[in-house]
Amino acid sequence: MIHKLIWMGLVLAVLFLPACGVLDWGMSRTGYLSNYGSNGEQIYRTGTSVSGPVDHTGGDFGGMMGGGGMMGTNQLACADCHGLDARGNGPMMHMAQISAPDIRWSTLTEPESDEHGAEDGHDAEHGMEHPPYNEESFKQAVIQGVDPGGDALDPLMPRWQMSDQNLADLIAYLKRLS
């Protein structure tokens, strides 16, 4: 009788724990979760790639995020500020909303127009901040913290240390969100 109960308990644990997220049978060879549709999605949502954490400098929000990450971890992710849908609906931090931009690829690469009809995305006289992003300028923004017009991004934006492949995967994911 006791053996039957132990056996039933093990069967229930095998079925129940993965469903609750306690166990993940889809681990990659490196031990990082692989339950995302792509490496780019994993980077965007968790700040880790299939090969491990993506390092960053800056963007610590003055300690507002309990050590750098949303849940008190040291790992930041794009989604922490830009939202799961990349529309820039950032989180509330100490009664203030973080104003992170919409980073869906269609938004980043769309020429902005102002009330005077300028559509090149760069018209300082009428409040345009920078030209539209392309893959190269996006990489510069992520790694160096510089927009397509050459201006520094907000100091809250982390500067990421990413491989070319991880950047390509992240861009591919953002293109799918558009």
Side-chain angles (χ1 to χ4, degrees):
M1 178 71 170
I2 291 180
H3 294 309
K4 242 185 202 181
L5 289 175
I6 292 172
W7 179 250
M8 285 181 63
L10 287 173
V11 168
L12 287 174
V14 166
L15 295 174
F16 181 70
L17 292 177
C20 293
V22 175
L23 295 177
D24 182 9
W25 301 119
M27 299 291 277
S28 72
R29 284 177 286 191
T30 60
Y32 289 91
L33 299 179
S34 60
N35 56 350
Y36 296 96
S38 68
N39 185 45
E41 180 180 5
Q42 182 169 323
I43 292 166
Y44 183 83
R45 291 177 178 257
T46 69
T48 62
S49 73
V50 294
S51 59
V54 178
D55 293 328
H56 62 85
T57 58
D60 69 358
F61 308 98
M64 290 191 300
M65 294 179 78
M70 280 303 290
M71 297 299 176
T73 69
N74 287 322
Q75 193 60 44
L76 288 174
C78 308
D80 290 342
C81 295
H82 296 281
L84 290 175
D85 60 3
R87 292 178 185 263
N89 44 358
M92 291 293 290
M93 295 290 164
H94 297 276
M95 307 295 281
Q97 181 89 18
I98 289 179
S99 179
D102 183 335
I103 59 169
R104 291 173 297 150
W105 196 253
S106 59
T107 304
L108 290 174
T109 59
E110 180 178 280
E112 299 175 4
S113 62
D114 65 12
E115 67 273 8
H116 302 284
E119 291 189 4
D120 63 356
H122 189 68
D123 183 358
E125 179 183 344
H126 299 112
M128 301 306 293
E129 295 186 23
H130 58 73
Y133 280 90
N134 58 35
E135 290 187 18
E136 235 5 83
S137 60
F138 181 80
K139 290 175 184 179
Q140 285 183 315
V142 170
I143 293 171
Q144 299 170 3
V146 177
D147 72 21
D151 296 320
L153 296 177
D154 190 299
L156 292 178
M157 169 66 182
R159 287 14 173 198
W160 298 91
Q161 299 163 10
M162 280 194 195
S163 69
D164 287 339
Q165 184 60 57
N166 281 344
L167 277 166
D169 292 346
L170 178 60
I171 290 169
Y173 177 68
L174 293 174
K175 287 180 179 180
R176 285 200 319 269
L177 290 179
S178 295

